[in-house]
Amino acid sequence: MEPVSAAVSAVLPAGGSGERLGGATPKQFCGLQGRPLVSYAVRAMERVSWISDIIVVVSPENIETMKSIVEKYGHKRVTVVKGGITRHRSIFNGLKVFAENQSSNRLLQKPEVVIIHDAVRPFVEEDILLKVVMAAKEHGAAGAIRPLVSTVIASGEDGCLDHSLERARYRASEMPQAFLFDIIYQAYQQCTDHDLDYGTECLHLALKYCKTNAKLVEGTADLWKVTYKRDLYAAESIIKDSLSQQICIITDVKEAVIQAGFLLHESLKNQVKVEAISISLSKNDSHLQNIFSGECYNFLCINDKEYATEEIQQLVDMLEKSNVPLLYPVVLILVHLNISENISFSIGLEELTKIKKFAREVKKKNILVYGLLIQYKVTERTWHIGGDTNTPIKANFCLSWRQKDLSLQHPLYSQKLSKVNNFVWEMCSANRKT
């Protein structure tokens, strides 16, 4: 991503009452997968390293609620500010924190560019943020737009159609928007009470009061705003689906284990983003810690040890020590690679009981443990895969094939390894059902 040389901060208005949503809870505080909607928007800004400060503006009665959200979910660089009675007055209050240094917690640097983004638009990506910021640096103001979905019409006093607008000529104004700070702050300082109380468009204020023509940037389809209850359901569905889109394959440094990891990587990479690392879990690996701190909630741990509970326990310990909030279910799939003369799917009763108990315990911590046995019989050079659907060592198939057929181009490879692929995909997708 292109570096941003200017100082950039963000203001997130979150003071709405959510009348159109219905219900007693304002929409920005409604839970999605157990987490408030506003937290997703804050996290989207936090992920962008070049955004220095994030101002969240809420109604006076919700200040403590917002502060508790910041603390609970470990948000950084966030200042909570008391909002006004309208959207524009709330944004103005957020801007004043920089201009008048009203923050009691810490000194905030006045940015060169400020982003304004609704707290109920949770799916903004760094790419569109960068585009509006760079456009604002050049033009003074910029905002994301989208094509109109419906034709806009005007009615007369009698309630009949007066005229309609040519849809191709118009666009829907979306968020995020970005401004040179001095321009948008000057615009708000000059605003009439009517604009502050009834206006809704920040780009219009920059044009009206500072003669700044905003650059319009084509936005993506995921910039929509949660407005109605049905939008909450759609947003939750998107969040659940995104949890299954990345997996980390962890192997030790043994050749056979690394090879198994490579085959699974090749099989899965066309469906999900896959990262593979070879480490010793007994060591505190910084690369793995970085993965924990990212957006990955699915882990495939491959080993060839007779008793693997200790290794998966080490992985869970590392996950917990990372201090990453377990906001969603984390899926850990333990793949046991058994290379021996004796082909058997049996697991000792004591070890199985231990695994079951461990899986039940960590499930309380929002960690789902599954298992997959891949058994390789040396004498016949045959791979076998199996499992038990009634235990944490879980698979719904049993199959075998000769090792010599495992070339990536061979149709038998695609057919057989896809069974493993499907199992992994099913387990990672457990995030969606929890």
Side-chain angles (χ1 to χ4, degrees):
M1 192 66 68
E2 180 182 345
V4 177
S5 58
V8 180
S9 294
V11 173
L12 274 60
S17 61
E19 290 181 6
R20 288 174 290 184
L21 183 78
T25 304
K27 57 192 173 187
Q28 60 271 26
F29 299 118
C30 288
L32 296 178
Q33 290 286 284
R35 180 179 184 174
L37 182 61
V38 63
S39 181
Y40 290 95
V42 172
R43 186 185 65 169
M45 299 294 162
E46 281 181 317
R47 289 202 302 260
V48 182
S49 60
W50 42 265
I51 295 180
S52 302
D53 296 290
I54 304 164
I55 308 299
V56 182
V57 191
V58 299
S59 58
E61 64 270 20
N62 288 318
I63 286 181
E64 293 307 315
T65 298
M66 189 63 223
K67 286 182 177 180
S68 68
I69 290 172
V70 171
E71 181 179 358
K72 179 177 180 180
Y73 297 102
H75 293 305
K76 307 298 182 184
R77 315 194 306 269
V78 175
T79 301
V80 181
V81 174
K82 182 172 71 173
I85 59 174
T86 65
R87 171 183 167 80
H88 273 325
R89 291 187 185 275
S90 290
I91 294 173
F92 194 14
N93 283 359
L95 297 173
K96 286 178 182 177
V97 172
F98 296 111
E100 303 173 9
N101 193 24
Q102 293 184 353
S103 173
S104 59
N105 298 325
R106 58 195 177 99
L107 182 64
L108 298 178
Q109 177 189 4
K110 187 182 82 168
E112 180 182 348
V113 178
V114 61
I115 297 168
I116 297 176
H117 184 70
D118 291 325
V120 290
R121 296 179 190 261
F123 304 119
V124 61
E125 298 293 338
E126 182 174 358
D127 181 60
I128 186 64
L129 290 169
L130 179 62
K131 287 178 180 178
V132 295
V133 165
M134 299 306 290
K137 281 190 66 178
E138 181 179 353
H139 299 276
I145 58 170
R146 289 288 296 161
L148 288 175
V149 176
S150 302
T151 300
V152 179
I153 61 175
S155 62
E157 294 182 358
D158 58 359
C160 297
L161 177 66
D162 183 77
H163 66 278
S164 65
L165 301 180
E166 185 182 345
R167 189 171 61 183
R169 292 184 55 201
Y170 296 88
R171 293 293 183 268
S173 178
E174 306 287 356
M175 292 285 174
Q177 296 176 352
F179 305 83
L180 292 177
F181 181 86
D182 291 338
I183 286 178
I184 191 61
Y185 188 64
Q186 180 184 348
Y188 271 102
Q189 286 180 307
Q190 298 179 55
C191 262
T192 64
D193 285 338
H194 183 274
D195 279 334
L196 289 174
D197 290 337
Y198 299 102
T200 59
E201 179 54 71
C202 302
L203 298 178
H204 174 72
L205 298 184
L207 177 62
K208 181 177 180 179
Y209 294 103
C210 298
K211 304 296 186 281
T212 299
N213 288 300
K215 179 66 175 178
L216 304 181
V217 179
E218 195 69 34
T220 54
D222 56 3
L223 294 178
W224 51 276
K225 179 180 179 182
V226 173
T227 303
Y228 302 102
K229 186 170 290 187
R230 63 175 179 268
D231 298 328
L232 284 175
Y233 300 141
E236 186 164 45
S237 177
I238 292 172
I239 291 167
K240 287 180 179 181
D241 186 62
S242 68
L243 297 178
S244 304
Q245 299 306 311
Q246 183 174 349
I247 188 168
C248 176
I249 298 176
I250 304 170
T251 68
D252 62 26
V253 294
K254 296 180 181 179
E255 182 179 354
V257 178
I258 293 175
Q259 182 184 16
F262 173 75
L263 292 175
L264 286 172
H265 178 282
E266 292 301 303
S267 177
L268 289 165
K269 70 179 183 180
N270 292 328
Q271 287 184 270
V272 294
K273 179 181 177 182
V274 184
E275 183 159 1
I277 56 176
S278 298
I279 62 167
S280 172
L281 288 178
S282 60
K283 299 179 181 179
N284 189 10
D285 186 85
S286 59
H287 187 190
L288 186 56
Q289 291 291 347
N290 290 335
I291 293 174
F292 285 151
S293 301
E295 296 299 303
C296 187
Y297 284 85
N298 305 294
F299 298 88
L300 197 67
C301 185
I302 306 174
N303 70 86
D304 63 349
K305 298 178 181 178
E306 183 177 357
Y307 300 105
T309 311
E310 180 179 347
E311 187 159 299
I312 200 72
Q313 176 69 66
Q314 289 174 336
L315 187 60
V316 170
D317 290 344
M318 291 179 68
L319 183 62
E320 293 181 327
K321 288 178 182 178
S322 68
N323 294 320
V324 175
L326 299 183
L327 308 176
Y328 320 105
V330 174
V331 174
L332 301 181
I333 303 176
L334 179 61
V335 178
H336 179 61
L337 183 64
N338 187 16
I339 303 176
S340 67
E341 298 288 337
N342 179 29
I343 185 120
S344 172
F345 296 154
S346 64
I347 300 175
L349 181 60
E350 182 178 349
E351 178 71 4
L352 184 58
T353 302
K354 189 176 180 181
I355 294 173
K356 282 185 174 182
K357 181 180 178 182
F358 175 74
R360 285 195 297 266
E361 289 175 352
V362 297
K363 187 176 181 180
K364 299 174 184 176
K365 302 176 183 180
N366 224 10
I367 300 173
L368 308 179
V369 175
Y370 301 96
L372 179 63
L373 173 65
I374 300 181
Q375 189 150 339
Y376 172 52
K377 188 176 181 182
V378 179
T379 54
E380 296 182 6
R381 303 183 69 196
T382 303
W383 287 88
H384 292 262
I385 297 174
D388 182 347
T389 58
N390 297 317
T391 72
I393 300 300
K394 179 179 180 180
N396 56 3
F397 52 83
C398 176
L399 57 98
S400 66
W401 66 89
R402 291 185 299 169
Q403 187 188 29
K404 69 178 183 181
D405 289 325
L406 289 181
S407 66
L408 298 183
Q409 291 77 30
H410 198 284
L412 188 60
Y413 163 81
S414 300
Q415 177 185 359
K416 300 299 186 180
L417 196 55
S418 67
K419 299 283 188 176
V420 183
N421 187 343
N422 291 340
F423 170 77
V424 172
W425 179 253
E426 178 186 346
M427 294 303 100
C428 291
S429 298
N431 279 307
R432 304 175 183 174
K433 304 169 186 176
T434 302

